Amino acid sequence: MPIVLKRPVEVERMAEAGARLTEVMDLVAEAVRPGVSALELDRIAREAIEARGARPAFLGLYGFPATICASPNEVVVHGIPSERPLEEGEILSVDMGLFYDGYAADMARTFPVGEVSDEAERLIRVTEESFWAGFDAAQPGARLGDVSAAIQKRVEDAGFWVVREFVGHGIGREMHEDPQVPNFGRPGLGPKLRPGMTLAIEPMVTLFAAPVVVLDDGWTASSGRGNLAAHYENTVAISESGPRLLTGRR
Ligand code: MG
């Protein structure tokens, strides 16, 4: 499919969707603590999305059963929220999307549950930093491979591993549009970035190299025992003057 360029009025509508999603993520972040369950976080997210006149984008998408993907510890993405209380020292990746006024926004964060290990903290921080490296490379006239390579470099310079099995994506009227946005690649390759492109840039990073395996529930994507995973995602628009954040804040 061709890459759909959005008119300025459409980008503004996506920014409205993104602002709502950012508020909801803030509420989820405040609720993460030892003893809370991912299912409780899911309820908080769904109510907050609906209270803002939006609708959860993941619920029912390809048959997914919840509003948030809640991926603890070595789960990279697509974890199904459960009733199990989170424990001190765990990490939890929360990925969610919504539709507002016909447009999608998509966002993910990894949260420490209470005090976590230095290694877990560093994994979370480097994953966020790799997003910003990709964001800064997302200039009009650059190539998509410049974004991918910048992310990969930050991750590998820190000694961590870029997940290959899942990638970012275009976003707009649909949650998943072209192009795919890998978190690894070569500078100077791929489609040229143009004003009006809207992308979900979402590095997924693990402690060490290992294949990501989907468990028997058909969703949970795990990087294997002891291999913590982190995720950081924002929806981004390419504008004439550079990349513009549609979710989150710097
Ligand atoms: Mg996404």
Side-chain angles (χ1 to χ4, degrees), residues 42-62:
D42 188 75
R43 189 186 61 74
I44 290 168
R46 183 171 182 170
E47 287 181 7
I49 288 170
E50 290 172 349
R52 285 163 177 74
R55 77 177 165 83
F58 293 178
L59 186 62
L61 185 67
Y62 313 119

Side-chain angles (χ1 to χ4, degrees), residues 138-182:
Q139 302 293 333
R143 297 276 176 176
L144 192 61
D146 299 331
V147 175
S148 302
I151 293 169
Q152 181 178 13
K153 181 175 189 324
R154 179 68 196 100
V155 172
E156 293 181 353
D157 282 354
F160 294 132
W161 177 254
V162 170
V163 169
R164 267 54 169 186
E165 288 89 342
F166 299 94
V167 296
H169 49 92
I171 180 170
R173 283 195 169 276
E174 306 291 334
M175 177 55 63
H176 296 126
E177 298 182 354
D178 279 336
Q180 291 199 337
V181 183

Side-chain angles (χ1 to χ4, degrees), residues 76-246:
V76 181
V77 286
H78 304 161
I80 298 171
S82 82
E83 289 178 28
R84 179 181 72 81
L86 295 169
E87 291 175 28
E88 177 100 18
E90 292 193 279
I91 62 174
L92 181 74
S93 298
V94 173
D95 188 357
M96 62 181 164
L98 58 73
F99 281 101
Y100 178 76
D101 199 16
Y103 288 86
D106 194 0
M107 183 177 189
R109 295 288 184 272
T110 299
F111 301 112
V113 181
E115 285 284 309
V116 301
S117 69
D118 290 349
E119 189 178 51
E121 213 163 74
R122 197 168 80 85
L123 178 71
I124 291 170
R125 178 169 52 77
V126 167
T127 304
E128 174 174 354
E129 288 171 1
S130 74
F131 168 85
W132 294 114
F135 178 83
D136 288 338
Q139 302 293 333
R143 297 276 176 176
L144 192 61
D146 299 331
V147 175
S148 302
I151 293 169
Q152 181 178 13
K153 181 175 189 324
R154 179 68 196 100
V155 172
E156 293 181 353
D157 282 354
F160 294 132
W161 177 254
V162 170
V163 169
R164 267 54 169 186
E165 288 89 342
F166 299 94
V167 296
H169 49 92
I171 180 170
R173 283 195 169 276
E174 306 291 334
M175 177 55 63
H176 296 126
E177 298 182 354
D178 279 336
Q180 291 199 337
V181 183
N183 299 303
F184 55 95
R186 304 240 319 263
L189 297 183
K192 188 176 274 190
L193 301 181
R194 300 177 193 283
M197 278 187 188
T198 44
L199 306 172
I201 300 175
E202 52 175 320
M204 288 153 269
V205 179
T206 58
L207 292 179
F208 53 85
V212 176
V213 174
V214 176
L215 304 188
D216 286 344
D217 62 17
W219 286 105
T220 307
S222 174
S223 50
R225 201 178 172 86
N227 195 8
L228 292 179
H231 189 189
Y232 194 96
E233 174 181 28
N234 281 314
T235 302
V236 174
I238 311 302
S239 78
E240 301 279 357
S241 57
R244 174 182 171 191
L245 215 47
L246 301 181

